[in-house]
Amino acid sequence: MKKYLITGVVLLAIDLAILLFFWEWRMLPAITAITAFPFIFLAGFITGAYKDPDHYHLDIQESSSSRNKKIRLATRILAIALPSFLVCVPSFIFYYW
């Protein structure tokens, strides 16, 4: 899990380097959101969060090991998105509220 958080911190460092290049700190929420939200949506797709509830009966026969693998993968992807998300939300509140 630690290496996924480190990957997220590296992505956040790349975001900050981009902001230093452009020197426009009001873009901080947008740049970090561009980094974080695709990972969050990908984790949702992996777990099946966006499926129609009517199709849920097809997934009942899914094995518990398959379900655990999906949850583990989604957790790792969310760990990558966490550092950027933790910078995105407070910076959005600070700059736009």
Side-chain angles (χ1 to χ4, degrees), residues 22-67:
F22 289 116
W23 204 257
E24 183 60 45
W25 289 101
R26 289 198 174 260
M27 289 176 52
L28 180 65
I31 297 292
T32 54
I34 288 170
T35 304
F37 287 118
F39 288 108
I40 293 171
F41 287 126
L42 181 63
F45 281 125
I46 289 172
T47 58
Y50 306 121
K51 286 185 179 177
D52 186 23
D54 294 335
H55 295 291
Y56 181 71
H57 67 280
L58 299 174
D59 291 339
I60 290 175
Q61 298 172 355
E62 181 181 28
S63 68
S64 64
S65 65
S66 173
R67 197 174 8 211

Side-chain angles (χ1 to χ4, degrees), residues 2 14 19-20 35 39-40 52 65 70 79 83 89 91 94-95:
K2 186 188 283 187
I14 292 170
L19 287 171
L20 281 173
T35 304
F39 288 108
I40 293 171
D52 186 23
S65 65
K70 285 182 180 179
V89 173
S91 64
F94 178 72
Y95 284 123

Side-chain angles (χ1 to χ4, degrees), residues 11 17 31 35 39 48 54 59 68 73 86-87 90 93:
L11 287 173
I31 297 292
T35 304
F39 288 108
D54 294 335
D59 291 339
N68 288 338
L73 181 61
L86 289 178
V87 171
I93 292 170

